[in-house]
Each structure stands twice: as structure tokens, then as C-alpha cells.
Amino acid sequence: MKIETRAVHAGRKPESGTRDVTPAIHLSTTFQKADDGSLPGGFLYSRADNPNRAALEEALASLEEGAAALAFSSGNAATLALLQALTPGDHIVAGDDVFYGTAILFKGLLANCGLKHTLVNMQDPAAVERAVTPATRLIWVETPSNPLLHVTDIRAIAAIAKKAGALLACDNTWATPLLQLPLKLGADVVMHSVTKYLSGHSDVVSGALIFKDANPLFEKVRSIQSEGGAVPSPFECWLAMRGLQTFPYRVRAQTQSARQIAEFLADHPQIEVVHYPGLASHPGHKIAAAQMSGFGGMLSIQVKGGQAEAFKLAAGVKIFTHATSLGGPHSLIEHRASVEGANTRSPVNLLRLSVGLEHPDDLIEDLEQALSNVPKR
């Protein structure tokens, strides 16, 4: 089945008795046993498993074309669970432009647990290969990256990981399974912040890991999920399942609009550079075109001048909302360096744009009027 069909049907089974087309929300924390102590419904306690979470996990595995999935309370919780499956002394290679929340996990929590890491230019496979050590157990890829939209060649890094006997994990949040399937390109695990495009309405916080194989690693991470308890609530799982039904059409529309906006801004005299892999001028355009079926709904721009000019633009928009996060129906604009703090790698004149579902002509007009009030440099 095509992804649009799987988005509607995967993980959804008619409720016994009522035969609901829309599944019920199973809020119960515990489930009744049979007289012999068995579990006729297959569920014991909602920290360990829940019907809504099981449905979401089945749907996510189907969309990413993986063997199994695990849902968590956030994207960071999903990332942390995979890292917790490693052993003290293990080494991780990741991009030097990795999402700042992931970098915090590497540098803080996990360093205290005895894990080591090296951050490199992930667009340079030779640099990745040089960073690999005999202790390397995981290579972490994020493509396109947040917020500079660097593109990593997943196939090339997968070959390096295989040679090293390391796992390859890919953060596929920005691309989504509509536009990119890392497991088909050589990755072993895919991570999603389900909060973003998959749920798609800015009303859910959740994350997920999807595994190429239901292997011992999957079982170890499932134990961490169950025993650690960083799981989404039944209601969040239900909301995410609702959002999944429309995600291919939402992302396709957002991608089309983002490209139009990127092309408009690339020609604007007050914009220094547009970071969007759909532009032929983008350094990663050819690789993105080879491994993606579309270039996504995210872009970043650098405003001529500096931080003051970027702030002026962000304050001047009327349809874009000045807020964090991404992937929802509302178009968002944000100054990333302010969010990321003292250790940010984001240029001070950079604004990240999440293109929503408004008409692209209105969004372009909004940016144009806001730019007209930005001092020219």
C-alpha cells in the first residue's frame, strides 16, 4: 500500500463490541486478568504497554517501513533511551551541527554515564571515517540538520558504520517518511520527534524510535522504555494517530509552499543566504535529490546585517507566529541563537522558518511587508 493509505489504516483495528471506526482512548492504567492469571487482552499495566501506544507504534513502524517501533514521551526521551542502551566506554560519532538538545545529552547526561562522543562535519564522509575508533558503537545522523539544513549522505555514512561494526541512527524528524526512508538507505534505527510533522497540530509532545529489525537492541530499548517509563499518555497517542492520517498531504503542501518561499527569499536583496536543500545553489542539493522525494517544509534565512535586523524581521510578521517548534499548521519563525544560548552554533542573523498550511502567497506577502521595515544593509 502507498504511504497515504498506510497513514489512514496502519495500527487501526475495529474495537471489539462497538466496532468504532475511530479507536477509543484507553485511559485505564491496569487491565483485568483471567482466572488463571493470563492476560486475554494482552495488556498488564500502561507503563509497560497500552492499546493506544501499541497502535501508534504499529503505525509508525509501517510508515518508516521498519520491523518495530517504540513510542516515548518526547523526541529527546527517544534519543536518550537509545543512548542508554549503549555501554560505558562506548563511543558515538555525530554531526557538529546536531540538534542542540541532542548535543546537550551527549555533553551532559551521557558523559556522566561514561559514554564518549566526537562531533564532526557529517557532510564529509572522510571526516566521519577518521573520527571512528575501535570503541565506536553508534553513528548519529540528522539530515536535513537543524537549523542549518545541512544534508548528509545516508548511504555513505551507512557504509562507514557497517565497516566499523557500529549502528547507524538517523533523526528523520524534518524529512518525515513521506520524503525520506533512512532504513532503506542503510540506517538501523530512525528517531522522530512525533511532536512535529507526524502529529502535526502543535498539541502533542511525543517521540519514537523505529527499528529495521526486531533484534536484541530493540528488546533492550523496549525494556528501557518499560522500566524507565518515559512513555506518552494514551491521549497523546490517540492525538498522534489522528494527526498521522493527514500527514502525507500536510507535508506535501508544506513542502511546496516552502520551496516557493525559499525561491522568493533567495532573490530578496535584504537576505544574505537561504538554507533550503531544494535550491540548486544549496551545497547538499544533489545528495538531497538522490535520497529524498521532496525537500521539506523547513528553511532558515540569514538577514543582512545582524541580530538586530533578524529580530526586526521576526517582530514584523503578522501571519507567521514568533514561536519555537515546527511541523504544525501555523507558520512559525524563530531566532535560533536566542533559544540555544551561549553554546549555539547558529549565526546571530539566522531565523528558522517552519512553513505551515496557510496559502504561500499570503506568507510571501507577510515576509515582504516585514522586510520592508527592516533597515537596509
Side-chain angles (χ1 to χ4, degrees), residues 162-220:
K162 184 176 181 180
K163 181 180 176 182
L167 294 165
L168 177 62
C170 181
D171 182 339
N172 202 34
T173 299
W174 280 28
T176 82
L178 177 70
L179 306 179
Q180 181 172 270
L181 290 169
L183 298 180
K184 298 297 183 183
L185 299 171
D188 300 291
V189 186
V190 166
M191 193 284 291
H192 275 284
S193 174
V194 179
T195 307
K196 311 304 193 297
Y197 287 104
L198 297 182
S199 62
H201 292 79
S202 302
D203 54 12
V204 171
V205 177
S206 181
L209 296 171
I210 301 94
F211 294 77
K212 185 174 185 178
D213 300 301
N215 53 19
L217 173 67
F218 166 75
E219 295 298 339
K220 186 173 184 178

Side-chain angles (χ1 to χ4, degrees), residues 119-144:
L119 301 182
V120 299
N121 177 3
M122 208 42 89
Q123 292 74 59
D124 181 0
V128 176
E129 195 155 24
R130 288 193 299 270
V132 170
T133 76
T136 301
R137 297 292 177 267
L138 175 66
I139 300 179
W140 183 273
V141 166
E142 177 187 308
T143 183

Side-chain angles (χ1 to χ4, degrees), residues 292-334:
M292 302 175 73
S293 61
F295 302 104
M298 297 297 299
L299 62 142
S300 291
I301 58 175
Q302 289 179 241
V303 184
K304 284 185 179 178
Q307 180 169 294
E309 287 74 15
F311 277 1
K312 183 74 173 176
L313 174 55
V317 291
K318 297 176 181 178
I319 297 176
F320 279 85
T321 301
H322 194 177
T324 197
S325 199
L326 55 106
H330 298 84
S331 292
L332 306 178
I333 190 168
E334 182 179 45

Side-chain angles (χ1 to χ4, degrees), residues 76 79-80 83 95 98-112 117 119 336 339-344:
N76 267 20
T79 301
L80 182 60
L83 299 177
V98 72
F99 168 55
Y100 88 110
T102 304
I104 289 172
L105 293 180
F106 290 154
K107 296 173 183 178
L109 293 176
L110 295 174
N112 296 331
H117 73 279
L119 301 182
R336 286 304 297 170
V339 174
E340 296 173 2
N343 296 320
T344 183

